[in-house]
Amino acid sequence: MAERDPRRIGTAAVDHRSRRMSFASAKGWLTTLGTATARPVAFAIFMLYSIAWIAFGNGLEWHSFATLATWGMTLLIQRAEHRDTQAIHAKLDELLKASGHPHLMEVDDEDAEEVEQERERVRRNR
């Protein structure tokens, strides 16, 4: 039976860790992108893009109008959802402070997957 090369095992572990870290940074980037679409500057970019599409494209045909309307409504929905989420978080933060559990406010800094894992762990330990 062949022996394992310890250098190779260590390299595999490092590769696995670096892949996991790059995936984690991608998740952070996606979260940042999602938050950015809720900002007013996203509407400005949308308007400039819409004007350029109409001016340099085929005008305002039905498929162009449908695409732009869908994109605009998506931005409006994202903005409303972000506003509502921020209001709920502010209220929950105040309730957590008042109840003596301020450490739970740090959950916002974790990825959704980490929060789900923590909730599952708490459920199992009940």
Side-chain angles (χ1 to χ4, degrees), residues 64-78:
S64 297
F65 178 76
T67 301
L68 292 173
T70 302
W71 190 19
M73 290 307 297
T74 302
L75 288 174
L76 288 173
I77 292 168
Q78 175 70 13

Side-chain angles (χ1 to χ4, degrees), residues 34-35 38-39 75-93 108:
T35 304
R39 303 280 184 229
L75 288 174
L76 288 173
I77 292 168
Q78 175 70 13
R79 176 72 179 169
E81 289 285 326
H82 183 69
R83 183 192 62 235
D84 292 346
T85 301
Q86 293 303 313
I88 289 170
H89 279 277
K91 292 172 185 177
L92 288 173
D93 286 347
D108 294 343

